[in-house]
Amino acid sequence: MHSLLLLSTLMAALGGSRAFVVSNNHQAISTTATTTTTAVFASPSEGHHVDRRQMLQWTAAALVTTGMPSVTNAVTVNGADSGNLPELPPNAIRSYLQYRIPLQISADYYLWDLQEKLGDTQEWGAVGELFRVNNNKGQGQPSKIERDFINPMRILSLSMPPDTADELRDSQFAFEKAMQKITKATYGIRRDLPVEIEASAVPNAKKGWEEGRIALNAFFKTLNDISELNELKLVPAAGANQNKEYGRSERRYLELAKKTKLCQNRGGPALSQAWGGLMISGYLQDSCGIPDLEDYFYQ
């Protein structure tokens, strides 16, 4: 918007007293300069010499006097009093509000990252790492699949009313079973370890992905039904229109993944804040550059 106003001002200076600016509703509005502005922006042929410094001064003055329409892209965030959430147990409300965004990001990963890796056996070493539990120094860190999918599903299941909990648990178990199929199909296959790949390996891996997709969607649908908010987007089946049917931005996911990885490589949010100024990251939001997750969720 600032650039548009600046452009409008320069157009008025160079081409006359009438210019176009863009309003809040994105419509072009013709604006007529005041008598003072007309005099200030008179052309050299009218007896005024316009140098660079004057142009900058006039541009700044025009920006102040014209005023800048405020642009609000605020996202309406559903809270504890939205939909059917007030009818749920307090733990269920807390769990839903805590895990809805991480689960949707995990669904984005499932679609735009895991699916692609399963189609390329050169990436199966990385797939194997997703299921590997890190026992470094006895910490017993869960695998990525456990951390990003199964644990949130388990916590949500335990917090819900009995009937809903049973549905969620069934979906969780189905998802775990599907992940076991992927693990079995890709086990021991790595880029740096040449092995013979069975003809059934790739189809079995993709079958596991599809069964996992169905189970994850069933979990999301149960949450959408019980919350009556319909916030969680289901993952479409593989196909040419998959991204369009999903209705979320792959570009925004890749950007988020890149910035999150950058933040992790720099020691996490706390450490990155301390020495982020020493690194040229190119991001202006903060030292990690991670976008607002509520805005990312409500695409």
Side-chain angles (χ1 to χ4, degrees), residues 47-177:
H48 296 273
H49 175 69
V50 182
D51 60 22
R52 184 173 181 273
R53 178 176 295 181
Q54 286 177 310
M55 179 63 72
L56 292 175
Q57 291 173 343
W58 296 341
T59 299
L63 289 174
V64 173
T65 56
T66 303
M68 296 182 182
S70 61
V71 179
T72 303
N73 293 321
V75 173
T76 301
V77 179
N78 291 321
D81 58 348
S82 302
N84 191 50
L85 292 183
E87 305 301 320
L88 299 178
N91 284 343
I93 299 174
R94 274 194 301 272
S95 296
Y96 176 79
L97 295 177
Q98 179 179 353
Y99 288 107
R100 60 180 174 179
I101 295 178
L103 275 175
Q104 189 68 70
I105 294 174
S106 295
D108 294 345
Y109 171 85
Y110 197 83
L111 172 60
W112 287 314
D113 209 325
L114 180 57
Q115 180 180 215
E116 182 177 348
K117 283 182 169 64
L118 291 178
D120 181 4
T121 56
Q122 294 293 311
E123 294 290 337
W124 281 14
V127 172
E129 292 296 322
L130 302 176
F131 300 92
R132 193 183 308 280
V133 176
N134 183 7
N135 287 317
N136 185 31
K137 297 181 181 179
Q139 296 297 319
Q141 297 296 325
S143 69
K144 177 177 176 61
I145 296 297
E146 185 81 17
R147 182 184 69 245
D148 294 353
F149 291 89
I150 297 172
N151 280 349
M153 296 169 85
R154 184 180 296 119
I155 293 170
L156 280 161
S157 298
L158 293 173
S159 70
M160 291 292 172
D163 290 345
T164 302
D166 289 341
E167 291 182 38
L168 293 174
R169 196 173 296 112
D170 289 343
S171 299
Q172 174 200 328
F173 292 158
F175 183 82
E176 292 185 60
K177 185 177 179 180

Side-chain angles (χ1 to χ4, degrees), residues 262 266 276-283:
L262 173 68
R266 292 162 58 187
L278 301 178
M279 299 183 64
I280 302 175
S281 64
Y283 306 128

Side-chain angles (χ1 to χ4, degrees), residues 124-237:
W124 281 14
V127 172
E129 292 296 322
L130 302 176
F131 300 92
R132 193 183 308 280
V133 176
N134 183 7
N135 287 317
N136 185 31
K137 297 181 181 179
Q139 296 297 319
Q141 297 296 325
S143 69
K144 177 177 176 61
I145 296 297
E146 185 81 17
R147 182 184 69 245
D148 294 353
F149 291 89
I150 297 172
N151 280 349
M153 296 169 85
R154 184 180 296 119
I155 293 170
L156 280 161
S157 298
L158 293 173
S159 70
M160 291 292 172
D163 290 345
T164 302
D166 289 341
E167 291 182 38
L168 293 174
R169 196 173 296 112
D170 289 343
S171 299
Q172 174 200 328
F173 292 158
F175 183 82
E176 292 185 60
K177 185 177 179 180
M179 295 304 97
Q180 290 171 3
K181 286 189 176 182
I182 294 177
T183 303
K184 183 177 180 180
T186 61
Y187 182 76
I189 300 174
R190 301 202 312 262
R191 183 180 304 177
D192 59 346
L193 185 63
V195 295
E196 184 179 353
I197 301 176
E198 295 182 4
S200 60
V202 173
N204 286 343
K206 290 184 176 181
K207 182 178 180 182
W209 185 90
E210 174 62 14
E211 292 179 3
R213 180 192 72 84
I214 294 172
L216 185 63
N217 283 350
F219 194 92
F220 280 11
K221 185 178 185 306
T222 301
L223 289 179
N224 285 340
D225 291 344
I226 191 65
S227 67
E228 295 184 356
L229 295 176
N230 201 36
E231 294 181 314
L232 294 165
K233 300 288 184 68
L234 309 188
V235 178

